[in-house]
Amino acid sequence: AVAILEGAAASAADGEAAPPPPSPERRFLVTAIPPDALSGEPEALEQGWLPGDARESVGVTRSAAGERWFRAVAPGRGRPARVEPLERGEFEALWPLTDGRRISKLRRVVPGASGWHFDEYLDRPLVLAVAEEGNAEPAPAWLEPVLVREVSAERGYLDEALARRPARRSA
């Protein structure tokens, strides 16, 4: 199972010799989402990157609270993106431009663990545990049973890289 998980992002890293940018969040490759983190409703997130070098994306989140559309612009490598709300019509006008550069995932916030969530990618067998920006604590004990390794410094595990080389789940 670990080989499948690692292979899911490996294709995104192929041919990229430049070192990855520092990430404002820490990412950990895991084999599954711990049962305690499965409580509550996940948030569905679709995000697509616009063509060009601006590192700009648009997306939509869907949850029990409804839909929210957004635009994210990363001002530079390793710096957090500035996220702005979009109107639905603006999103619908820009979304076709992201064809071939998209991700789709479910996000689950870990109850009682401030600053931690899991991203389960829907187009590949990949689950990442994410410590949000500013959370420098070591991987907590509750993560250890499913932890493979930290992948924060590996470009292939960044959403933008995953979006550029999508993989499909096998049936």
Side-chain angles (χ1 to χ4, degrees):
V2 172
I4 291 171
L5 291 171
E6 291 179 344
S11 64
D14 291 345
E16 295 184 30
S23 177
E25 59 190 17
R26 294 173 45 229
R27 293 171 166 239
F28 298 84
L29 179 63
V30 296
T31 58
I33 299 174
D36 291 348
L38 291 173
S39 64
E41 290 296 315
E43 178 181 67
L45 182 133
E46 290 182 81
Q47 188 171 2
W49 278 259
L50 296 166
D53 296 331
R55 298 190 60 230
E56 182 176 358
S57 63
V58 295
V60 59
T61 60
R62 295 179 179 94
S63 68
E67 291 185 323
R68 290 184 335 216
W69 302 275
F70 65 89
R71 173 180 170 253
V73 178
R77 293 249 177 238
R79 294 178 54 202
R82 182 182 73 247
V83 179
E84 305 165 348
L86 279 180
E87 296 295 323
R88 182 181 188 144
E90 294 171 307
F91 168 79
E92 289 174 349
L94 293 170
W95 187 247
L97 299 174
T98 68
D99 190 39
R101 294 175 302 277
R102 296 177 182 164
I103 59 166
S104 180
K105 61 187 177 181
L106 293 178
R107 175 163 290 167
R108 296 179 184 275
V109 174
V110 180
S114 179
W116 283 90
H117 66 263
F118 286 92
D119 285 341
E120 178 183 7
Y121 292 80
L122 301 176
D123 64 345
R124 67 194 78 229
L126 178 63
V127 179
L128 297 175
V130 180
E132 295 173 7
E133 180 180 1
N135 185 341
E137 71 180 68
W142 54 260
L143 188 60
E144 290 178 12
V146 296
L147 179 62
V148 176
R149 70 176 192 279
E150 183 168 358
V151 295
S152 301
E154 297 179 43
R155 172 173 264 127
Y157 289 97
L158 296 174
D159 284 345
E160 186 176 2
L162 291 167
R164 294 190 184 277
R165 292 193 180 87
R168 298 284 171 221
R169 282 187 183 241
S170 54

